[in-house]
Amino acid sequence: MSLSTVEERVRAELGVRLFTVLAWVPERRALRRVHSSHPAEYPVGGEKTVEVAAGWLERCIVGQRPYFGPDRAAVREIFADHELIEGLGCGSIINVPVVADGRTLGVLNILDAEGAYDEGSVAVAESLAPLAVPALLEEK
């Protein structure tokens, strides 16, 4: 399944203003953007290394648990690019690790207006994450 198709499923089941997929590059401890609904602001190929809080990496990449930021304050606390995120009308975020055979392949980043998501939304996002496994395996 292509990452564009994953985006379509996320749009249909959760709604989303900004959707990106980052591939985990363990040898550099970096995240490389491999899909973006907003390529002008978040181009494919861009990398993040220290732009997110250390606790986020520990939670999503190492712990393989989703991160849920329900409001702008949560987004500001974790993401250095929060001004751009807010400029796109986003104030709620779900980051879901994509895992295969116990290995973190990457992360789905699902953003919408503040208050758009709740814990139920996180569960739906987690159910959609496996759809990205084939595409992320191709990225390796």
Side-chain angles (χ1 to χ4, degrees), residues 42 72 75-76 79-90:
Y42 289 98
R72 285 192 299 262
V75 172
R76 284 186 198 124
F79 299 97
D81 57 343
H82 60 84
E83 289 179 4
L84 179 54
I85 290 169
E86 290 176 20
L88 294 172
C90 299

Side-chain angles (χ1 to χ4, degrees), residues 4-139:
S4 293
T5 304
V6 175
E7 179 182 343
E8 290 169 15
R9 289 284 301 274
V10 169
R11 276 189 195 289
E13 295 190 33
L14 282 173
V16 64
R17 287 188 189 198
L18 171 62
F19 179 77
T20 64
V21 180
L22 302 174
W24 176 238
V25 186
E27 57 274 10
R28 290 200 314 275
R29 292 190 53 81
L31 291 158
R32 186 180 73 253
R33 194 172 304 105
V34 295
H35 179 84
S36 177
S37 65
H38 287 67
E41 296 88 354
Y42 289 98
V44 169
E47 287 198 1
K48 291 186 174 205
T49 53
V50 295
E51 291 179 35
V52 294
W56 183 94
L57 280 174
E58 184 66 30
R59 178 181 187 87
C60 286
I61 301 302
V62 178
Q64 299 175 337
R65 296 184 327 265
Y67 170 79
F68 174 44
D71 54 32
R72 285 192 299 262
V75 172
R76 284 186 198 124
E77 185 177 308
I78 300 293
F79 299 97
D81 57 343
H82 60 84
E83 289 179 4
L84 179 54
I85 290 169
E86 290 176 20
L88 294 172
C90 299
S92 184
I93 186 167
I94 302 171
N95 303 121
V96 183
V98 178
V99 179
D101 298 322
R103 221 170 29 119
T104 303
L105 302 177
V107 181
L108 302 184
N109 302 304
I110 303 165
L111 297 92
D112 206 336
E114 185 170 40
Y117 301 130
D118 58 20
E119 292 296 336
S121 306
V122 176
V124 172
E126 285 182 287
S127 75
L128 295 172
L131 300 176
V133 167
L136 285 174
L137 285 172
E138 287 179 15
E139 290 291 329

